[in-house]
Amino acid sequence: MELQDLRNRIDSLDDQLLTILNERMELVQKVGELKRLSQSIIYRPEREKQILDRLEKRNTGLLTRQAIDAIFFEIFAVSRNLELPERVSYLGPEGSFTHQAAESRFGGMSEYMVLPTIHSVFESVETGRAKFGVVPIENNQEGIVIETVDFLREKNLSIVAEVLLEVHFTFASQSDSLKDIRRIYSKDIAFRQCGKFINEYLDGMNVELIPVESTSKAAKMAAEEPDAAAICSSISARLFGVPTLFDNIEDSDQNRTRFLILAKDFVNIKSDDDKTTIIANLPNTNRPGVLYEFLKDFNDRGINLTKIESRPLRGEATFRTWFLVEFLGHMQDPPVQEIMHKYGTHLKWLGSYIKIS
């Protein structure tokens, strides 16, 4: 078959896709009208997962699950904006990995607020200036994000969903030759995580490594200086129009960051694959066995704990701590209800949501 024939067939299929997508959006608008009448929640992560799982089972073609997710998350985002446009805040700057995580769930059409601190993201959702907020919670190479954990305890917000993002770094520059580069901008953590590339590709060159506050700032500076480069995210290189010389330059291909989507007074419907996050402020933690007894309650009920992080209880002269606890299951599960009732006000439920990580 000739190239032009293949292109003609692709054009025909694109026409069909456009027709089908418009039909889908007409149905979405009707769903939105019903939801507004009943004041139902627009964003339903468990419903989206059901759709994606069903499509994966029906798939017999070349598309991978990752590809199906990417395509349909964008369709879901467009659909939600037709149902009810909602503002989303995220930890900036624009072009950051948090920006990438937000767009992976809310798409390119959503209205975004780019905020400078994790506290400002929490505050924007708490005050209603944004419907949803996106913040990092942990990186599998660097550990927990302390600010996020502390504000989960201090603020009254719910965890709607988690997003797991593979962290890839791009080497971007206006110059197309490494020998012409004199300065490389990036965040200090990015320099650490791309040390092998720097040592192997730039060995012996007179290149200055200049730390800046974000990889987005690095991309912006590289865009303005022809003899400079940036180690940054692909989204920030694209945002500032800096050509990519090398992709995926990180030392480890196992680098992952987990993000949380936050909202106010949000409750997910129970699914068959949930995770729950709580805060445990246990009494008498100086008494031997208090933490053991608490953890044993989960074991006795067959609940799988996936994370426990301790944080200092501020405002006291003691060394007492509180805990961020995560486990598999939903708040509505009877064994979970037993534990919540047993410890009462000493536990704070943050959310039950579809398990991704």
Side-chain angles (χ1 to χ4, degrees), residues 90-96 99 114 214-217 235-236 239-240:
Y90 67 83
L91 175 65
E94 194 175 12
S96 65
H99 181 187
V114 188
S214 70
T215 56
S216 298
K217 178 68 176 294
I235 193 174
S236 58
L239 181 67
F240 293 104

Side-chain angles (χ1 to χ4, degrees), residues 236-305:
S236 58
R238 185 170 67 251
L239 181 67
F240 293 104
V242 192
T244 296
L245 296 187
F246 301 98
D247 268 325
N248 304 335
I249 65 169
E250 61 279 355
D251 292 352
S252 171
D253 61 1
Q254 302 300 313
N255 194 351
R256 307 284 188 274
T257 297
R258 180 178 165 229
F259 300 85
L260 297 179
I261 299 175
L262 306 172
K264 196 172 184 179
D265 301 323
F266 193 103
V267 179
N268 281 308
I269 297 172
K270 177 177 165 58
S271 78
D272 58 357
D273 194 17
D274 292 310
K275 179 192 287 186
T276 294
T277 302
I278 62 173
I279 297 293
N281 188 10
L282 302 176
N284 305 318
T285 51
N286 291 329
R287 179 176 65 82
V290 169
L291 181 57
Y292 166 77
E293 291 167 3
F294 176 66
L295 299 180
K296 187 174 182 297
D297 279 330
F298 287 87
N299 181 71
D300 291 347
R301 290 165 176 80
I303 300 173
N304 183 17
L305 288 170

Side-chain angles (χ1 to χ4, degrees), residues 34-310:
L34 292 174
K35 285 184 176 180
R36 279 190 289 274
L37 288 173
S38 62
Q39 296 185 331
S40 299
I41 296 170
I42 298 295
Y43 184 34
R44 300 262 45 138
E46 75 285 348
R47 167 62 178 155
E48 294 180 356
K49 184 177 184 298
Q50 288 172 2
I51 294 172
L52 294 170
D53 288 345
R54 179 177 61 81
L55 292 173
E56 183 183 27
K57 290 177 181 177
R58 289 179 59 86
N59 180 38
T60 58
L62 297 177
L63 289 176
T64 63
R65 172 61 188 252
Q66 187 176 17
I68 293 170
D69 286 1
I71 293 167
F72 276 85
F73 273 132
E74 190 67 33
I75 292 173
F76 296 154
V78 173
S79 300
R80 285 196 300 272
N81 275 278
L82 284 176
E83 290 182 68
L84 181 65
E86 292 173 329
R87 187 179 296 117
V88 180
S89 65
Y90 67 83
L91 175 65
E94 194 175 12
S96 65
F97 288 110
T98 313
H99 181 187
Q100 189 173 331
E103 280 205 355
S104 75
R105 289 298 178 271
F106 295 100
M109 287 181 56
S110 293
E111 181 183 353
Y112 290 105
M113 292 175 60
V114 188
L115 297 176
T117 64
I118 289 173
H119 176 263
S120 61
V121 175
F122 273 82
E123 189 177 54
S124 72
V125 179
E126 191 175 42
T127 58
R129 290 192 291 270
K131 178 67 175 179
F132 299 104
V134 184
V135 291
I137 177 70
E138 63 178 329
N139 176 269
N140 67 344
Q141 308 294 315
E142 302 290 333
I144 204 79
V145 179
I146 292 173
E147 294 92 337
T148 297
V149 173
D150 286 349
F151 286 126
L152 284 172
R153 177 176 179 268
E154 294 175 19
K155 304 291 186 179
N156 290 316
L157 297 183
S158 304
I159 299 173
V160 175
E162 62 178 357
V163 179
L164 190 65
L165 191 70
E166 294 183 1
V167 177
H168 297 296
F169 290 102
T170 290
F171 189 84
S173 176
Q174 300 287 358
S175 173
D176 59 4
S177 175
L178 287 175
K179 69 178 188 307
D180 297 328
I181 295 172
R182 294 291 171 264
R183 292 172 303 286
I184 301 176
Y185 298 105
S186 196
K187 192 173 174 61
D188 51 0
I189 188 174
F191 282 132
R192 292 201 303 271
Q193 294 185 357
C194 300
K196 291 180 181 177
F197 173 85
I198 294 170
N199 292 334
E200 292 174 3
Y201 281 73
L202 303 170
D203 183 40
M205 298 183 185
N206 185 24
V207 178
E208 183 180 7
L209 304 182
I210 304 175
V212 292
E213 58 265 32
S214 70
T215 56
S216 298
K217 178 68 176 294
K220 185 175 185 297
M221 297 180 74
E224 298 168 350
E225 302 175 23
D227 59 348
I231 293 176
C232 58
S233 65
S234 58
I235 193 174
S236 58
R238 185 170 67 251
L239 181 67
F240 293 104
V242 192
T244 296
L245 296 187
F246 301 98
D247 268 325
N248 304 335
I249 65 169
E250 61 279 355
D251 292 352
S252 171
D253 61 1
Q254 302 300 313
N255 194 351
R256 307 284 188 274
T257 297
R258 180 178 165 229
F259 300 85
L260 297 179
I261 299 175
L262 306 172
K264 196 172 184 179
D265 301 323
F266 193 103
V267 179
N268 281 308
I269 297 172
K270 177 177 165 58
S271 78
D272 58 357
D273 194 17
D274 292 310
K275 179 192 287 186
T276 294
T277 302
I278 62 173
I279 297 293
N281 188 10
L282 302 176
N284 305 318
T285 51
N286 291 329
R287 179 176 65 82
V290 169
L291 181 57
Y292 166 77
E293 291 167 3
F294 176 66
L295 299 180
K296 187 174 182 297
D297 279 330
F298 287 87
N299 181 71
D300 291 347
R301 290 165 176 80
I303 300 173
N304 183 17
L305 288 170
T306 60
K307 179 176 292 296
I308 180 165
E309 293 276 346
S310 65

